[in-house]
Amino acid sequence: MTDLRTKYLSLIAEAQDAAVLEDLRVQAVGKRGEISLQMRELGKMTPEQRQEAGPMLNALKNEINSALAAKKEALEDAVLNERLRTEWLDVTLPSRGRPAGTLHPISQVWEEVTAIFADMGFSVAEGPQIESDWYNFDALNIPGHHPARAEMDTFYTHRAEGDDRPPHVLRTHTSPVQIRSMEANGAPIRAICPGRVYRADYDQTHTPMFHQVEGLALDKNISMANLKWVLEEFVKAFFEVDDVELRFRASHFPFTEPSAEVDIRCSWEGGTLKVGEGDDWLEILGSGMVHPKVIAAGGIDPDVYQGFAFGVGIDRIAMLKYGIPDLRAFFDSDLRWLRHYGFASLDQPNLAGGLTR
């Protein structure tokens, strides 16, 4: 045993790497190692021999295992020290750059519009995207024979045979939110209703799902003059011009009376839209004084309160402001085109009136 002890302690001390150390462990205390084989011989000894040899073999095995563990730790420390000597990291260096995210043009314009109207005292109202036929049409004074109520223009939800509940539709405008706001809050009221809307249409300037923002203001002394001021202030702020000329053209909407399409003076020099100058006119939205029947449908007395409403497509004014030619590009294009139109991750307006960085 003395020879085995001297042999393996010497070999372990001289081992230069983990592979050599593992080979020594197998030779000494592995299943067929020299010390393990001697321990198997204990069964062939007399009790007196076992009593003498057993403790000595166990002590030798434990000493060898301890030496193996100590040498393994020493080798690992040596490897680590060498790595620390040859490898280093400067923690004062800036971190690696990460790809920057960006706001989608629709999200950015949504927030821009909301912030502008918030400065004029308009709150934000929201409502369901699946609406009853009453909220989407009847409450807004849209008659049963109106083309918008045809299935070729509006998405109706499926009804199982025998289900006689009133029809429900994917809302075709955010005007139902105005009715719900009047029901919930009464008058006076000043709110905008941004959101997704749906119509069965698809071309360069129409998509089946798009975004609108509609505005509503009701009080006892509101007039078309108030509507004109609000829209002028909005256009100047959104298109970032100091002066703008609006043209109100008589039109017809079932939910307003009188009704007006609103055009802005502009020019198209070099294919670029410039608002507030030139000899051209561009239609941007519809508006008017809220029809008395719509006010009554919202649970408010039309003999006491009157007001105005307007609606504008968020997608379309985004196209105009940022020079995006095709409405469908918002939904089916590689989003790398955002950079081409100037959309970066920095300096984006937020609802607090500051910048998101």
Side-chain angles (χ1 to χ4, degrees), residues 121 123 181-182 184-191 216-222 300 304-307:
S123 61
S181 297
M182 287 190 281
N185 304 311
I189 187 172
R190 192 183 307 178
L216 171 69
L218 292 178
D219 212 327
K220 295 180 179 179
N221 298 301
I222 288 182
I300 296 172
V304 177
Y305 291 96
Q306 63 186 34

Side-chain angles (χ1 to χ4, degrees), residues 18-303:
V20 173
L21 193 65
E22 176 63 15
D23 288 341
L24 291 174
R25 185 194 68 79
V26 173
Q27 293 173 27
V29 294
K31 287 185 178 181
R32 296 186 177 275
E34 290 187 78
I35 297 174
S36 299
L37 291 176
Q38 288 205 19
M39 294 188 73
R40 291 182 186 179
E41 296 296 321
L42 292 174
K44 300 177 182 179
M45 297 180 182
T46 63
E48 292 79 12
Q49 292 173 325
R50 280 199 301 270
Q51 189 173 7
E52 180 182 354
M56 296 174 62
L57 284 171
N58 279 328
L60 177 59
K61 181 178 180 181
N62 291 337
E63 187 176 6
I64 296 299
N65 281 330
S66 297
L68 288 167
K71 186 64 177 182
K72 181 179 179 182
E73 184 176 353
L75 291 173
E76 290 175 347
D77 287 345
V79 171
L80 178 60
N81 289 333
E82 180 64 17
R83 287 188 62 190
L84 292 174
R85 187 182 67 81
T86 58
E87 299 178 13
W88 60 277
L89 177 65
D90 187 349
V91 296
T92 66
L93 290 174
S95 61
R96 292 186 179 91
R98 292 185 294 176
T102 182
L103 283 177
H104 191 280
I106 298 301
S107 299
Q108 176 169 322
V109 171
W110 187 316
E111 291 218 355
E112 289 178 1
V113 170
T114 302
I116 291 168
F117 282 110
D119 285 343
M120 290 188 278
F122 285 78
S123 61
V124 177
E126 297 180 338
Q129 296 181 47
I130 298 178
E131 274 290 8
S132 70
D133 197 55
W134 187 85
Y135 277 107
N136 198 76
F137 296 121
D138 295 331
L140 295 165
N141 196 38
I142 299 176
H145 61 271
H146 195 280
R149 303 185 79 146
E151 290 188 359
M152 67 180 64
D153 288 338
T154 299
F155 295 105
Y156 283 83
T157 59
H158 176 71
R159 281 280 185 267
E161 186 176 350
D163 188 342
D164 57 356
R165 289 178 296 169
H168 279 68
V169 301
L170 297 183
R171 66 183 182 189
T172 59
H173 43 193
T174 57
S175 299
V177 183
Q178 298 182 13
I179 301 297
R180 293 181 177 274
S181 297
M182 287 190 281
E183 289 180 336
N185 304 311
I189 187 172
R190 192 183 307 178
I192 59 168
C193 314
R196 296 179 181 86
V197 295
Y198 306 85
R199 296 180 190 175
D201 210 350
Y202 187 72
D203 58 34
Q204 186 174 356
T205 57
H206 299 84
T207 53
M209 186 279 288
F210 56 102
H211 303 79
Q212 276 190 343
V213 57
E214 300 195 19
L216 171 69
L218 292 178
D219 212 327
K220 295 180 179 179
N221 298 301
I222 288 182
S223 68
M224 287 286 286
N226 301 120
L227 169 64
K228 183 174 183 292
W229 179 85
V230 166
L231 295 181
E232 284 178 345
E233 292 299 306
F234 166 69
V235 171
K236 287 190 288 186
F238 181 74
F239 288 104
E240 301 176 20
V241 294
D242 295 329
D243 194 22
V244 66
E245 185 177 349
L246 299 185
R247 181 175 69 180
F248 286 71
R249 290 182 292 107
S251 185
H252 170 72
F253 304 114
F255 29 81
T256 52
E257 180 60 39
S259 302
E261 301 278 8
V262 179
D263 306 332
I264 54 173
R265 182 180 290 279
C266 65
S267 69
W268 291 94
E269 295 182 8
T272 301
L273 174 68
K274 294 184 178 180
V275 174
E277 60 182 64
D279 299 321
D280 293 326
W281 294 90
L282 176 67
E283 177 189 323
I284 58 169
L285 58 88
S287 65
M289 298 297 290
V290 184
H291 198 289
K293 290 185 178 180
V294 176
I295 296 176
I300 296 172
D301 188 349
D303 293 329

